Amino acid sequence: MNFGQALEKVKAGEKIFRLGWNGKDMFVVYQKGYPDGIPCNQQTAKAWGLKEGDLFKCDPYLQIKTANGSHSMWVPSIGDILSEDWEYIR
């Protein structure tokens, strides 16, 4: 499937990935964000110059599970956007 189709799947709650990725068990999920805010933890407050507990608003974003098992915000590359080898996991 193409990236447009994959984007619709991820926004519907599916996990998406590319067959061409080298990383084992890598996939992308859609995070709905916190449009009404969520209380900052100490690390977020320090990074943004806020007080712990202040409301932190966050727009939706894509997040990837990396090859080493950690998670990171993710932006597709041009190659990802133009690829036709997208798959999804329910």
Side-chain angles (χ1 to χ4, degrees):
M1 102 183 117
N2 66 40
F3 183 70
Q5 294 164 319
L7 187 58
E8 291 303 315
K9 291 287 188 189
V10 79
K11 287 170 71 177
E14 310 291 355
K15 298 173 182 171
I16 60 171
F17 65 97
R18 282 194 54 212
L19 293 175
W21 282 348
N22 294 327
K24 191 175 186 179
D25 299 323
M26 292 173 63
F27 59 83
V28 172
V29 298
Y30 176 74
Q31 292 287 6
K32 294 180 182 179
Y34 302 99
D36 296 325
I38 187 171
C40 284
N41 62 25
Q42 184 179 28
Q43 181 176 325
T44 301
K46 183 176 179 182
W48 290 98
L50 302 168
K51 293 182 218 162
E52 190 172 350
D54 282 355
L55 281 184
F56 186 79
K57 293 182 179 184
C58 183
D59 291 331
Y61 60 95
L62 297 174
Q63 186 177 46
I64 190 167
K65 178 180 175 255
T66 64
N68 69 6
S70 66
H71 301 87
S72 181
M73 290 179 120
W74 181 76
V75 177
S77 69
I78 294 298
D80 290 326
I81 291 171
L82 298 176
S83 292
E84 301 277 336
D85 65 350
W86 284 95
E87 296 284 335
Y88 69 97
I89 306 165
R90 290 183 190 255

